[in-house]
Amino acid sequence: GVEFMSFENYFEFFQEYNDILNLKFKNAKSIKDDCVYILDTNILLLPYKNCIKDLDLNQVIKLYKDLKSNNKLFITSTTIKEFVKNRPVVLLEAHQKILEYKNSIPKKYTIPKFVFLENSNYDEIKNLEKNLNDAVEKYLEQLSSLLKKLENYNWNDELSNKYSELFEKENIIPDLNEKIKIDLKGIWEKRKKLNIPPGYADQNKNSGEMGDFIIWKQILEFAKLYKCNIIFVSNDQKKDWYHLYNLNKNNYPIYPRYELLYEFKKYTMGKDIAIINFKTFLELHNIESEEISTDQNEIERYKNIYFKYPFNYKKVLYKEEPKVYNGIPCPHCHADNPVENDWCYNCGRFIG
């Protein structure tokens, strides 16, 4: 469901309340020609995965080059470090999937021999069988060659080479300065405690829990320094980036967290940020692609219900009956038993 900080934490985050309802945020379409695009780590790793169909990589690289030539394409230093860490993982996954596929293919096809069929089209089938086995043998050889190519990759695969040409010192947002770094850990601990996005959803990670927060801080500092709008391209679907809902074990992110839009607007003195996924990024530039497991109809259905029933949308959407939440009444509407999973079914507010 929609994720919010607790009501008490909102007092901590929104120190100024007069302009909360008056702030206007521009969407990606409105700022696409007057912004800088910043790519997240998962966008750099995306072509290494088989999660997008009918994607012309050359077309994407050309788009990147065009944006770079106009000083509109950037990544953060943190993204570079995360890419270096995760690239071997996705290459191993690719190797494993291809090997599993190769091993699933029979090395030879042989039809059982029956004497009573020898005067039918049995001979023709045997001839086709030979041709099939010859083709399968060549096919398996090519798959073996492809696996060998993957095994020989160091840092010289075609995509890494393209990235090294695209991202140089001039369009890599540098590490935060030492003055900011000194206070960074303390700020992170406070934000994590208050569930201030982004990054708190990663707090149980064994390592790198501050990664999203550091990238966010780099984006804030960059936009403030250069007084520019930002379109942040990321396929992250966690609750500390988006208001989202879960259906059939899939997350459906709908809107960027309000706290992010608000913080960016205030910190940059009026600039806007749009947070979009890779598919939307391509559509902004008239490049078609199809993401696997995207159900746009469900997203539109959720939007309509959310706007029509802002407080009771969960009850309408899932057609569920209220369930008891430890017998504790809602502190907002004082309903006796309509609370589940930190949400009140009667008034729709967060309990926390």
Side-chain angles (χ1 to χ4, degrees):
V2 181
E3 180 85 6
F4 291 106
M5 296 182 288
S6 71
F7 194 66
E8 292 77 12
N9 292 349
Y10 260 72
F11 281 104
E12 290 282 336
F13 183 76
F14 294 106
Q15 296 292 329
E16 301 176 20
Y17 58 85
N18 294 328
D19 58 357
I20 290 178
L21 296 178
N22 294 324
L23 289 178
K24 305 299 180 185
F25 305 110
K26 296 179 181 178
N27 60 24
K29 193 172 182 179
S30 300
I31 64 173
K32 74 181 187 73
D33 297 321
D34 181 28
C35 73
V36 166
Y37 292 85
I38 298 178
L39 307 183
D40 198 5
T41 312
N42 50 59
I43 301 302
L44 298 186
L45 293 171
L46 198 62
Y48 288 99
K49 303 179 180 182
N50 64 338
C51 54
I52 292 198
K53 298 185 289 186
D54 303 323
L55 177 65
D56 185 344
L57 186 57
N58 291 327
Q59 201 174 8
V60 174
I61 296 299
K62 181 181 183 303
L63 171 59
Y64 287 163
K65 288 180 178 179
D66 290 343
L67 292 173
K68 181 187 177 183
S69 67
N70 291 304
N71 296 318
K72 297 180 69 174
L73 183 72
F74 284 77
I75 58 174
T76 69
S77 60
T78 306
T79 294
I80 288 285
K81 297 168 188 175
E82 290 182 347
F83 175 76
V84 170
K85 176 185 175 183
N86 289 291
R87 176 186 170 277
V89 176
V90 293
L91 285 177
L92 287 173
E93 289 175 353
H95 189 284
Q96 180 180 351
K97 288 179 180 178
I98 294 172
L99 180 60
E100 288 174 349
Y101 170 68
K102 176 177 177 286
N103 290 341
S104 70
I105 301 172
K107 293 181 174 60
K108 188 175 182 179
Y109 291 85
T110 304
I111 186 173
K113 186 172 182 179
F114 296 97
V115 175
F116 73 96
L117 290 174
E118 288 185 355
N119 292 326
S120 60
N121 62 337
Y122 195 78
D123 289 339
E124 183 180 352
I125 292 174
K126 293 298 291 182
N127 287 332
L128 291 171
E129 182 183 273
K130 182 181 183 306
N131 294 334
L132 175 61
N133 285 327
D134 289 343
V136 168
E137 184 178 357
K138 292 178 181 178
Y139 186 60
L140 292 172
E141 287 174 359
Q142 290 300 314
L143 288 175
S144 296
S145 176
L146 182 61
L147 288 167
K148 183 60 68 175
K149 184 178 182 179
L150 269 171
E151 292 162 11
N152 290 332
Y153 278 156
N154 188 7
W155 281 96
N156 60 342
D157 66 278
E158 291 87 345
L159 188 56
S160 292
N161 289 337
K162 286 181 170 64
Y163 284 160
S164 67
E165 296 171 2
L166 277 168
F167 301 109
E168 303 170 295
K169 185 176 181 180
E170 63 195 44
N171 65 330
I172 297 176
I173 300 172
D175 287 347
L176 297 166
N177 64 49
E178 292 303 318
K179 183 180 178 181
I180 295 175
K181 282 184 179 179
I182 291 173
D183 300 325
L184 200 64
K185 184 66 176 176
I187 294 171
W188 162 245
E189 291 298 334
K190 180 178 180 180
R191 291 175 71 107
K192 184 171 64 170
K193 182 180 179 181
L194 297 176
N195 278 4
I196 298 174
Y200 70 82
D202 294 329
Q203 60 184 281
N204 294 322
K205 275 187 175 180
N206 293 328
S207 62
E209 68 170 9
M210 288 180 61
D212 282 1
F213 171 59
I214 293 173
I215 288 175
W216 177 245
K217 189 63 177 172
Q218 287 180 285
I219 292 173
L220 288 173
E221 297 296 334
F222 177 86
K224 183 178 181 180
L225 177 64
Y226 292 102
K227 299 179 176 61
C228 60
N229 299 316
I230 298 291
I231 291 183
F232 183 48
V233 187
S234 174
N235 273 15
D236 204 329
Q237 296 187 347
K238 295 194 296 292
K239 62 186 179 180
D240 56 343
W241 284 102
Y242 282 98
H243 296 300
L244 54 82
Y245 72 102
N246 185 279
L247 184 67
N248 298 327
K249 299 182 179 180
N250 290 318
N251 284 337
Y252 290 89
I254 309 298
Y255 313 108
R257 290 286 295 266
Y258 179 85
E259 300 96 318
L260 299 176
L261 304 181
Y262 176 88
E263 182 178 13
F264 187 91
K265 176 79 81 171
K266 299 292 287 185
Y267 197 81
T268 61
M269 292 175 288
K271 294 301 178 181
D272 284 283
I273 185 169
I275 304 172
I276 62 175
N277 62 24
F278 188 64
K279 185 175 185 294
T280 303
F281 168 68
L282 297 182
E283 289 171 350
L284 279 178
H285 298 278
N286 301 313
I287 298 177
E288 293 185 0
S289 70
E290 183 181 351
E291 289 187 31
I292 296 174
S293 299
T294 297
D295 192 339
Q296 197 63 34
N297 291 330
E298 279 298 323
I299 293 177
E300 292 303 321
R301 173 173 169 263
Y302 181 86
K303 284 183 179 180
N304 292 335
I305 292 175
Y306 182 81
F307 278 115
K308 192 171 182 179
Y309 307 99
F311 288 131
N312 293 312
Y313 75 94
K314 285 185 75 176
K315 191 172 182 180
V316 176
L317 185 65
Y318 301 114
K319 298 179 181 178
E320 295 176 346
E321 291 298 318
K323 298 180 182 179
V324 177
Y325 182 80
N326 296 328
I328 302 173
C330 172
H332 305 293
C333 69
H334 307 292
D336 288 331
N337 66 341
V339 182
E340 184 193 22
N341 296 333
D342 299 331
W343 288 88
C344 176
Y345 273 90
N346 188 55
C347 69
R349 297 178 195 174
F350 184 72
I351 305 303

